[in-house]
Amino acid sequence: MRQKIVAGNWKMNTTLAEGIELVNQIVGKIEEVPQDVKLIVNTPFTHLFPVSKIIGDIKCPFCRSKISLGAQNCADKEKGAYTGEVSAKMLASVSKAVGTVAGAPEGATGAPVEYVILGHSERRGYYGETNAILLEKIKLALSEGLKVIYCVGEALEERKAGKHFEVVGNEIKEVLFNLSPEQMKNIVVAYEPIWAIGTGETATKEQAQEIHEFIRKTLAEKFGALAEETSILYGGSCKPSNAKELFSQKDIDGGLIGGASLKADDFIAIAKSF
Ligand code: PGA
């Protein structure tokens, strides 16, 4: 059975106080989330430490197991003179440090930063991240024990020109085909058509299913049966009103949610849409 996932990509939104409030609201409703659905909150870097503690402090083990913490990026270098960058090792170190925070109960540890989003079209487009750079980032993230939500997707012109299979296929082959099957087990793929991100325009369920199936078939060329176990998420204006029809598709295992992940009610409603 593939893991069902609803991942929130907060992007560059929320102050620290607002982020803490949001995660507290999500945690407050976590009982409503079906046990077989994994929520992931991918917060800004500044929020990881306190959010790690909030999630780590969830008392009920069933509820605790339903939510994971993630970041939105990491560096393509291990360490050193790269001003402004945050390494995979730093992300992996966050949860270990939570127990040392003043006032933390003895032996407390926070939730690990378990996931990192890589390859988002905003990173590819605004910050020039190529497939080669992304492969370096992915390898570093995996070597630190992080799981990767790897994003792929085509631009509107590419879809209009009928090139979406080619574009997405290349994003898969040039990056993920360089991983071992062991590494691939820690990859979640997110298909996000660029024309649907933040635009209110969603791919139809048929469009989304068609390309998710293509992604799975492409992965199978290299990884065989493992492709059947890889969660492939849909992202791009996914919201409570359209999540159910998208998630009902055979090859859609959940969503990567931007705007709607900033409201706890919407995020939880999406998680209840399988
Ligand atoms: P959106 O963003 O849900 O606001 O369209 C999705 C994403 O970019 O991950």
Side-chain angles (χ1 to χ4, degrees):
M1 270 298 277
R2 294 192 289 269
Q3 176 68 57
K4 295 174 188 165
I5 295 174
V6 171
N9 176 9
W10 291 12
K11 308 193 181 184
M12 198 171 72
N13 292 301
T14 71
T15 62
L16 186 51
E18 289 164 350
I20 288 172
E21 167 78 16
L22 176 56
V23 84
N24 275 324
Q25 286 172 359
I26 293 167
V27 168
K29 292 171 182 288
I30 195 96
E31 274 180 32
E32 295 176 30
V33 176
Q35 195 64 48
D36 62 346
V37 177
K38 160 82 76 188
L39 288 185
I40 307 171
V41 287
N42 295 277
T43 77
F45 289 136
T46 44
H47 301 21
L48 290 171
F49 188 73
V51 172
S52 166
K53 177 160 164 41
I54 291 168
I55 295 176
D57 280 352
I58 297 173
K59 294 283 174 298
C60 144
F62 292 115
C63 295
R64 170 66 193 86
S65 67
K66 288 193 238 179
I67 181 164
S68 292
L69 176 60
Q72 299 171 22
N73 188 22
C74 71
D76 62 337
K77 302 285 190 301
E78 210 178 324
K79 64 173 183 174
Y82 301 102
T83 303
E85 289 294 296
V86 172
S87 72
K89 197 186 228 22
M90 292 171 185
L91 295 179
S93 74
V94 168
S95 55
K96 293 174 196 152
V98 169
T100 67
V101 103
E106 187 150 355
T109 52
V113 177
E114 199 178 331
Y115 290 86
V116 58
I117 298 173
L118 293 172
H120 193 282
S121 59
E122 287 153 16
R123 299 294 318 173
R124 292 179 190 262
Y126 303 149
Y127 302 98
E129 294 188 4
T130 60
N131 285 339
I133 291 172
L134 291 166
L135 178 58
E136 289 313 304
K137 291 187 178 209
I138 289 175
K139 284 184 184 162
L140 284 165
L142 294 174
S143 74
E144 291 298 334
L146 301 170
K147 296 180 187 131
V148 173
I149 301 174
Y150 175 63
C151 306
V152 298
E154 80 287 352
L156 186 57
E157 312 78 68
E158 292 165 334
R159 177 160 279 267
K160 280 189 181 154
K163 289 191 169 157
H164 42 296
F165 292 115
E166 183 186 332
V167 170
V168 170
N170 285 341
E171 287 173 337
I172 297 282
K173 288 179 186 163
E174 289 177 18
V175 179
L176 300 183
F177 275 25
N178 293 293
L179 302 181
S180 68
E182 255 337 283
Q183 289 175 311
M184 189 60 207
K185 284 184 188 158
N186 290 313
I187 304 284
V188 172
V189 177
Y191 167 66
E192 300 202 308
I194 299 170
W195 45 273
I197 296 177
T199 57
E201 184 145 350
T202 322
T204 63
K205 60 182 192 309
E206 291 83 9
Q207 284 173 322
Q209 166 55 29
E210 183 186 39
I211 202 140
H212 278 236
E213 187 179 343
F214 167 78
I215 291 169
R216 202 175 302 287
K217 281 199 176 129
T218 306
L219 289 173
E221 285 173 28
K222 166 83 180 166
F223 298 104
L226 190 54
E228 280 303 316
E229 287 161 40
T230 305
S231 297
I232 306 178
L233 314 182
Y234 170 80
S237 298
C238 185
K239 44 191 180 247
S241 58
N242 60 23
K244 211 174 192 75
E245 63 170 22
L246 287 161
F247 297 174
S248 68
Q249 300 301 301
K250 189 164 83 47
D251 288 292
I252 301 183
D253 306 308
L256 179 56
I257 321 296
S261 73
L262 297 169
K263 290 198 187 112
D265 284 343
D266 286 354
F267 191 51
I268 298 289
I270 292 170
K272 290 160 76 177
S273 299
F274 286 93

